[in-house]
Amino acid sequence: MTDLLLIAYIFLIAGIIAVPIATKLGLGSVLGYLLAGIAISPLLTTLNVDVIAIQHFAEFGVVMMLFIVGLELEPKTLWSMRKQLIGLGGGQVLLTSAAFTALAMMLDHPWQTALTIGLILSLSSTAIVLQTLSERGLLKSDGGQASFSVLLTQDIAVIPMLAFIPLLALPELATGITSTSNNSHTGLSLVAGLESWQAALVTLGMIALVVFGGSHLTAPLFRFVAQARLRELFTATALFFVIGIALMMSLVGLSPALGTFLAGVVLANSPYKHELESNIDPFKGLLLGLFFITVGASINFQLLTDNLATILLLTAILILTKTAALLMLGRLFGLKGAALWLLALGLAQAGEFGFVLLSYSVGNHVLPSALADQLLLVVTLSMLLSPVLYIVYQRFIAPRYIGEQAHREETFPEDSHVIIAGSGRVGGVVDLILKAGGFNTTVIDYNYKQLDRLERVGIRNFFGDATRPDLLSAAGIDNAKLLVVTLDDAEQITKLVRYAMQNYPHLHVVARAVDRHHVYDLWAYGCRDIIRETYDSSLRMGRSAFEALGIEQQKAQELVNIFSEFDKEMLRLAADAYEIGVPFEENHAYIDCISKLLNEKEPEIKQRMRDICERAASSSKQ
């Protein structure tokens, strides 16, 4: 027990120290976890810790991540991605596999070994790419969606690879190897010893069971658990659901990650979708962090030192080859500029399935152990360099493309005095309202597909990152009268508002706030026209609720107006006590201020609203 606690403590303290430092330096959490693993590697070696065994356990974080990704995708959305899944994703696997196979054969490896190397290195890291894209707010961008399509295709491709690789076995590698070499791959299986058609039927039946269970059994199960009114039971049920699906897929030799992704898609329209996501997400984050730490800790530095030049050269060839292939395919499928480079650099590394397939290939006598050990280092090193490639993209490549777009003189109209940052579900409506009123607007958004869709109906917007000063300057912010900030990400909204308020005091800024605490942040930076994104709709729902309870519309609106005045006054008075960046529970001055205001103001407001309700009730009786 003591040994287990010590190991857990080492992993936790390494992550707690390394990740905040890496994030503060702009390196991202993934690189922080990888560096944490490298730092504790000597200590784990001294304690004889089986890092690989921990890594296999932590890989379940990838399974959970794909389940959550599936929850965000409705089947019709997945169907709309079929061209990218089959064309871009399938093309990437085939093209990079062929390229690496040819390179391996040039190095005098047998074609069976060369093909296996090509298949393994064609895969990218689902864990690193999705985690990094989500952290940087790029998952919904064109490059992010293309990257997701390729990753999903790769995860599906692992299944036929597992079936195909044993057929490439080399007799000379099997010589002298006992039957125990495959022990790591034995275990419970429902398809072992079956004919191929029987195994196919069992596999299809298991997939059908996952789809049926997700569609029809989830709701009754959650309703039953809800009777206990215990939060921990919901968490246990969510884990039971995900682990059960992963087990079912493993029993028929399929990828657990693919199975849970499929279940997530099935549940995308379920009323329990958000409950499942909120319960799984903390475990997913911890396990992914543990996985990245084990990747860093598993580096064999002795082998790396002995073969440093070879490993570095192979890693460089891997990254350059995959980058070139993705640039070619991305352009063929309509990606351009920053989105194209995001796809190419983001997927240039090898993936976590490489660890599984390398061990699997050695056990099935396809790869010699010495070669597999070197390739293991190449896979690990490429994953270690992946966050660095994202930094190169964000700091050097993306600004160049956005800068080129910004400095084209014909891009922005000269007669517009209104800039709208974001053309999504909020900014798009604001734009239509202002244009209907006769005002010219300049709308900036970084989503190519959104801009293309709008252009087809005659609405012209402009590509770019609205938080960049050079783009704002090119858009005419010096002469603008109004800046409307409707971006989706709270951090990006705050960044843009702070810059605009500090550098353009003449400018009126209308900002979208995601919640009450975000209002305080924007208020602290000088913005006084702040719209909470769900506030007005909530007031309208409250008015409708009063009307449904028998209060006439005019009185219901009066009640809502009283509450709104009280809420806005509370916001203004509490804003001075709010400290940016301090968690609510630690912001004692703010908590005291809220408590005092509620004690002083709330009884009066409640009494006023009750008087109106009583008058309305008495008038209805008369």
Side-chain angles (χ1 to χ4, degrees):
M1 183 67 177
T2 303
D3 294 342
L4 182 62
L5 291 174
L6 176 60
I7 294 169
Y9 185 76
I10 291 170
F11 276 97
L12 288 171
I13 198 169
I16 290 171
I17 293 174
V19 174
I21 295 174
T23 305
K24 186 74 173 177
L25 295 174
L27 303 178
S29 67
V30 173
L31 188 54
Y33 284 122
L34 291 170
L35 293 175
I38 293 173
I40 65 174
S41 178
L43 181 57
L44 296 178
T45 302
T46 303
L47 296 173
N48 295 317
V49 176
D50 189 350
V51 176
I52 301 302
I54 297 175
Q55 188 176 91
H56 290 325
F57 169 74
E59 283 173 2
F60 199 73
V62 181
V63 173
M64 291 182 169
M65 178 177 61
L66 281 173
F67 176 71
I68 291 176
V69 169
L71 287 174
E72 301 299 325
L73 285 176
E74 298 180 8
K76 63 179 182 180
T77 305
L78 197 59
W79 177 252
S80 69
M81 296 169 59
R82 64 189 183 279
K83 290 183 179 178
Q84 284 192 327
L85 288 171
I86 298 172
L88 184 57
Q92 184 273 331
V93 173
L94 292 175
L95 184 58
T96 52
S97 295
F100 291 129
T101 300
L103 288 171
M105 291 182 69
M106 290 170 59
L107 296 174
D108 295 328
H109 290 294
W111 71 266
Q112 297 95 328
T113 300
L115 180 56
T116 303
I117 293 172
L119 292 173
I120 293 172
L121 297 184
S122 68
L123 304 175
S124 303
S125 174
T126 301
I128 288 179
V129 176
L130 291 188
Q131 179 85 350
T132 306
L133 289 176
S134 298
E135 281 183 3
R136 298 176 187 270
L138 296 170
L139 188 56
K140 297 297 183 181
S141 67
D142 296 334
Q145 288 297 288
S147 299
F148 172 73
S149 300
V150 174
L151 289 170
L152 181 55
T153 305
Q154 290 178 359
D155 289 339
I156 296 172
V158 171
I159 299 168
M161 288 182 191
L162 289 169
F164 180 65
I165 286 176
L167 303 178
L168 303 175
L170 297 172
E172 59 268 28
L173 292 180
T175 304
I177 298 180
T178 66
S179 60
T180 60
S181 60
N182 262 341
N183 282 349
S184 60
H185 307 294
T186 60
L188 292 175
S189 175
L190 296 180
V191 295
L194 297 180
E195 297 290 337
S196 58
W197 65 271
Q198 294 173 323
L201 285 178
V202 173
T203 301
L204 290 174
M206 192 65 79
I207 293 174
L209 183 59
V210 169
V211 174
F212 175 81
S215 302
H216 298 92
L217 301 181
T218 310
L221 178 61
F222 269 95
R223 282 197 295 269
F224 174 74
V225 172
Q227 297 175 13
R229 299 182 181 275
L230 293 174
R231 176 73 182 177
E232 60 270 24
L233 272 185
F234 277 103
T235 303
T237 305
L239 289 173
F240 158 81
F241 191 77
V242 176
I243 293 173
I245 293 169
L247 176 62
M248 291 164 67
M249 292 297 100
S250 298
L251 287 173
V252 293
L254 294 181
S255 164
L258 179 62
T260 50
F261 172 79
L262 176 63
V265 172
V266 171
L267 289 166
N269 292 316
S270 168
Y272 297 98
K273 162 185 171 178
H274 298 295
E275 182 69 28
L276 283 165
E277 184 174 355
S278 63
N279 284 311
I280 292 296
D281 196 61
F283 295 96
K284 181 264 297 182
L286 284 172
L287 286 174
L288 281 179
L290 179 61
F291 172 76
F292 295 135
I293 291 177
T294 59
V295 170
S298 63
I299 297 176
N300 187 335
F301 286 99
Q302 184 60 51
L303 182 61
L304 179 61
T305 303
D306 295 340
N307 301 273
L308 183 60
T310 301
I311 300 300
L312 291 178
L313 178 62
L314 291 175
T315 305
I317 291 173
L318 166 67
I319 291 174
L320 292 174
T321 302
K322 295 189 78 169
T323 300
L326 287 163
L327 284 173
M328 186 189 312
L329 287 168
R331 184 169 292 278
L332 186 64
F333 280 83
L335 291 177
K336 54 186 177 180
L340 179 61
W341 280 100
L342 177 60
L343 170 71
L345 292 178
L347 300 180
Q349 78 292 116
E352 54 275 352
F353 280 118
F355 302 125
V356 178
L357 291 177
L358 282 170
S359 175
Y360 186 69
S361 300
V362 172
N364 284 281
H365 320 310
V366 183
L367 293 180
S369 298
L371 176 60
D373 289 341
Q374 288 191 348
L375 290 174
L376 195 66
L377 278 177
V378 172
V379 170
T380 304
L381 192 57
S382 70
M383 293 174 69
L384 186 62
L385 291 174
S386 185
V388 179
L389 295 178
Y390 277 104
I391 295 171
V392 170
Y393 164 80
Q394 284 210 308
R395 294 190 181 178
F396 301 105
I397 294 178
R400 180 168 67 87
Y401 280 96
I402 294 174
E404 288 176 2
Q405 181 79 14
H407 287 95
R408 282 164 40 190
E409 294 181 0
E410 74 277 12
T411 298
F412 297 108
E414 296 181 358
D415 58 345
S416 171
H417 297 289
V418 179
I419 298 175
I420 301 177
S423 64
R425 56 192 176 92
V426 177
V429 175
V430 175
D431 180 39
L432 291 174
I433 292 172
L434 291 176
K435 283 180 176 175
F439 291 92
N440 291 327
T441 61
T442 299
V443 183
I444 306 171
D445 197 287
Y446 69 89
N447 191 320
Y448 276 118
K449 291 182 180 178
Q450 174 76 354
L451 303 186
D452 289 340
R453 283 193 292 265
L454 292 173
E455 282 195 6
R456 290 179 183 177
V457 296
I459 300 174
R460 189 185 178 206
N461 294 336
F462 305 94
F463 172 78
D465 179 359
T467 64
R468 290 190 58 80
D470 58 344
L471 186 66
L472 291 171
S473 179
I477 194 170
D478 293 294
N479 300 317
K481 297 178 182 178
L482 173 65
L483 171 64
V484 183
V485 185
T486 64
L487 301 171
D488 289 327
D489 184 70
E491 185 177 342
Q492 295 291 92
I493 294 171
T494 304
K495 178 181 177 181
L496 177 52
V497 168
R498 181 171 64 241
Y499 173 78
M501 298 304 301
Q502 290 176 349
N503 294 278
Y504 301 96
H506 70 280
L507 190 65
H508 185 95
V509 177
V510 179
R512 168 188 181 182
V514 300
D515 55 31
R516 178 180 293 268
H517 290 159
H518 193 207
V519 172
Y520 293 132
D521 288 342
L522 299 176
W523 183 278
Y525 291 120
C527 185
R528 293 297 180 265
D529 200 344
I530 306 167
I531 311 298
R532 276 177 279 173
E533 59 184 23
T534 60
Y535 185 68
D536 288 334
S537 57
S538 300
L539 292 180
R540 289 178 60 189
M541 290 183 73
R543 187 193 68 193
S544 295
F546 279 130
E547 292 176 23
L549 292 170
I551 298 174
E552 62 181 30
Q553 184 176 9
Q554 183 179 354
K555 295 295 183 182
Q557 186 61 54
E558 187 178 347
L559 287 167
V560 170
N561 289 342
I562 292 173
F563 173 81
S564 181
E565 291 171 6
F566 166 66
D567 187 70
K568 290 178 180 177
E569 184 181 9
M570 287 274 292
L571 277 174
R572 287 192 296 270
L573 294 175
D576 293 334
Y578 182 79
E579 296 182 52
I580 295 177
V582 178
F584 172 79
E585 62 275 9
E586 298 177 13
N587 201 336
H588 302 297
Y590 172 70
I591 294 174
D592 292 342
C593 179
I594 290 292
S595 299
K596 180 180 178 182
L597 290 172
L598 286 174
N599 291 332
E600 293 178 354
K601 304 275 186 183
E602 193 174 31
E604 176 190 347
I605 300 302
K606 285 184 175 180
Q607 188 59 51
R608 288 174 58 190
M609 294 181 70
R610 285 171 183 160
D611 291 343
I612 294 174
C613 291
E614 290 172 1
R615 288 198 301 270
S618 60
S619 62
S620 64
K621 290 179 181 179
Q622 296 175 357

